[in-house]
């Protein structure tokens, strides 16, 4: 990971902006069509994990293809084991450079390739799941959940911002901090957000009531990685997820849903963080444990 461009003068982690942000939308240059798009994702990456969960929840497996990259990344970026069956490339970087030969940033997942236009349309991970939930609505499975109901969109968007800043990105700000002040600021924010969510979930099943929404999808990947990776690797060690009764019950409840459980690969998650982020873990040793039962209570 190229951290030198993502660290401020005060040692704070500043996430790279998304380079490709074109929308897939009816009437646009990239209209939603079955079989036209392919998502490139990693089971290890929390941002990509969202897209995999939503694709499964909405029953879009036959509408939008997916290529899973290897969790171990080197200076060439994400490798595609056996080569990509659609484009034939071996590394995700080839698709970035085919779209923009001058691209200089990290080659991130998830991203979406337009098979017809032969270019990357988007690596804008917050928008990708919203696109699956809205632009691809005509192809949702019959009993698919409405993850982004119009009546709740303002509330969902507001909570998503809090979750992103305080937790999704907050754990990275703690883990990649290059000063004590930057770390202290980030880790305090992480646990203040967890405390707030614990209170919120102490009297409701999901973040916005009883039904699944986009907010639940955005929170879960961070919770799934918290005790296995972020608690030790990113020094978010004030408390564990399992120390929060409501949050831990909520996370296990979501994990019991096949779309969440079947896209959660703890082996790939741990190998990716501990083996590729050698600036934090120079030995590359993957720790054993924690031994946690994710079965619902």
């Amino acid at each position: 990971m190229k951290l030198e461009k993502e660290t401020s003068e005060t040692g704070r982690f500043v996430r790279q902006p998304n380079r490709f942000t074109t929308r897939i939308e009816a009437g646009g240059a990239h209209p939603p069509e079955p079989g036209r798009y392919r998502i490139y994702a990693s089971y290890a990456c929390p941002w990509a994990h969202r897209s995999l969960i939503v694709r499964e929840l909405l029953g879009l497996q036959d509408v939008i293809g997916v290529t899973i990259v290897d969790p171990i990344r080197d200076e060439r970026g994400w490798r595609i084991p056996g080569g990509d069956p659609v484009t034939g490339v071996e590394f995700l970087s080839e698709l970035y450079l085919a779209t923009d030969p001058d691209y200089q940033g990290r080659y991130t997942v998830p991203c979406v390739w337009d098979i017809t236009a032969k270019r990357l349309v988007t690596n804008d991970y917050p928008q990708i799941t919203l696109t699956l939930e809205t632009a691809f609505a005509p192809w949702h499975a019959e009993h698919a959940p409405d993850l982004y109901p119009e009546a709740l969109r303002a509330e969902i968007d507001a909570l998503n911002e809090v979750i992103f800043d305080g937790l999704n990105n907050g754990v990275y700000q703690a883990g990649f901090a290059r000063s004590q002040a930057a770390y202290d600021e980030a880790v305090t924010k992480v646990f203040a957000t967890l405390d707030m969510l614990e209170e919120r979930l102490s009297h409701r099943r999901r973040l916005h009531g009883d039904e699944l929404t986009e907010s639940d999808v955005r929170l879960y990947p961070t919770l799934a990685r918290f005790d296995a990776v972020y608690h030790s690797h990113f020094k978010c060690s004030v408390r564990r997820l399992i120390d929060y009764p409501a949050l831990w019950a909520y996370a296990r409840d979501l994990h019991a849903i096949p779309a969440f459980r079947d896209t959660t690969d703890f082996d790939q998650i741990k190998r990716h963080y501990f083996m590729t982020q050698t600036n934090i873990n120079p030995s590359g040793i993957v720790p054993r444990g924690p031994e946690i039962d994710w079965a619902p209570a």
Side-chain angles (χ1 to χ4, degrees):
M1 175 174 287
K2 300 176 182 177
L3 284 177
E4 65 276 6
K5 295 182 180 180
E6 295 182 280
T7 304
S8 74
E9 293 182 358
T10 58
R12 287 166 173 79
F13 173 65
V14 181
R15 184 169 294 279
Q16 166 186 293
N18 297 313
R19 164 64 180 82
F20 304 104
T21 58
T22 303
R23 299 287 181 89
I24 298 172
E25 55 189 359
H30 304 276
E33 297 173 3
R36 178 165 175 164
Y37 301 97
R38 194 166 189 87
I39 296 173
Y40 291 79
S42 165
Y43 288 127
C45 170
W47 319 107
H49 195 176
R50 301 174 177 182
S51 299
L52 298 174
I53 292 170
V54 170
R55 178 175 173 267
E56 297 278 334
L57 283 173
L58 300 182
L60 293 172
Q61 296 94 321
D62 295 330
V63 177
I64 302 173
V66 68
T67 292
I68 301 296
V69 299
D70 192 282
I72 307 303
R73 185 183 59 194
D74 60 20
E75 66 279 359
R76 295 169 294 180
W78 300 99
R79 185 178 68 88
I80 301 171
D84 182 34
V86 170
T87 63
V89 303
E90 185 180 357
F91 289 92
L92 186 62
S93 57
E94 297 174 63
L95 300 185
Y96 272 78
L97 296 174
T99 306
D100 178 3
D102 296 323
Y103 183 77
Q104 296 291 320
R106 289 187 293 109
Y107 310 111
T108 61
V109 290
C111 56
V112 180
W113 178 260
D114 184 331
I115 297 169
T116 301
K118 294 182 171 56
R119 59 163 290 138
L120 283 178
V121 180
T122 180
N123 69 338
D124 188 14
Y125 58 88
Q127 184 60 39
I128 290 174
T129 50
L130 298 180
T131 296
L132 298 182
E133 293 156 7
T134 56
F136 285 89
W139 298 279
H140 289 180
E142 183 178 356
H143 299 294
D146 185 355
L147 297 173
Y148 199 49
E150 289 193 26
L152 286 176
R153 286 183 184 180
E155 184 180 340
I156 290 171
D157 291 345
L159 184 59
N160 287 353
E161 286 297 318
V162 173
I163 292 171
F164 172 80
D165 181 59
L167 196 58
N168 299 149
N169 195 51
V171 293
Y172 282 84
Q173 290 177 323
F176 291 146
R178 290 294 175 269
S179 71
Q180 187 68 48
Y183 165 77
D184 289 341
E185 177 184 273
V187 81
T188 298
K189 182 171 59 175
V190 164
F191 286 94
T193 305
L194 286 172
D195 292 345
M196 178 275 292
L197 292 169
E198 173 72 9
E199 170 59 26
R200 186 181 184 98
L201 288 165
S202 67
H203 51 83
R204 64 182 79 193
R205 187 182 184 194
R206 311 283 192 228
L207 288 172
H208 295 284
D210 291 329
E211 303 301 324
L212 278 174
T213 67
E214 170 76 7
S215 296
D216 299 297
V217 172
R218 294 193 182 202
L219 175 57
Y220 173 81
T222 301
L223 297 184
R225 289 156 177 74
F226 201 88
D227 288 3
V229 174
Y230 302 146
H231 182 265
S232 59
H233 186 60
F234 279 176
K235 303 181 182 68
C236 294
S237 49
V238 177
R239 285 179 291 280
R240 301 163 299 172
L241 173 62
I242 62 173
D243 296 324
Y244 288 94
L247 269 169
W248 178 223
Y250 163 84
R252 284 179 291 169
D253 190 35
L254 292 182
H255 184 265
I257 300 170
F260 290 82
R261 182 183 63 247
D262 295 347
T263 57
T264 303
D265 189 319
F266 290 111
D267 174 66
Q268 292 203 28
I269 288 168
K270 291 179 61 178
R271 286 194 293 124
H272 168 71
Y273 282 93
F274 287 105
M275 293 179 69
T276 67
Q277 294 175 356
T278 52
N279 57 313
I280 299 176
N281 185 40
S283 70
I285 293 172
V286 181
R288 295 188 178 183
E291 296 182 357
I292 297 174
D293 184 3
W294 274 83

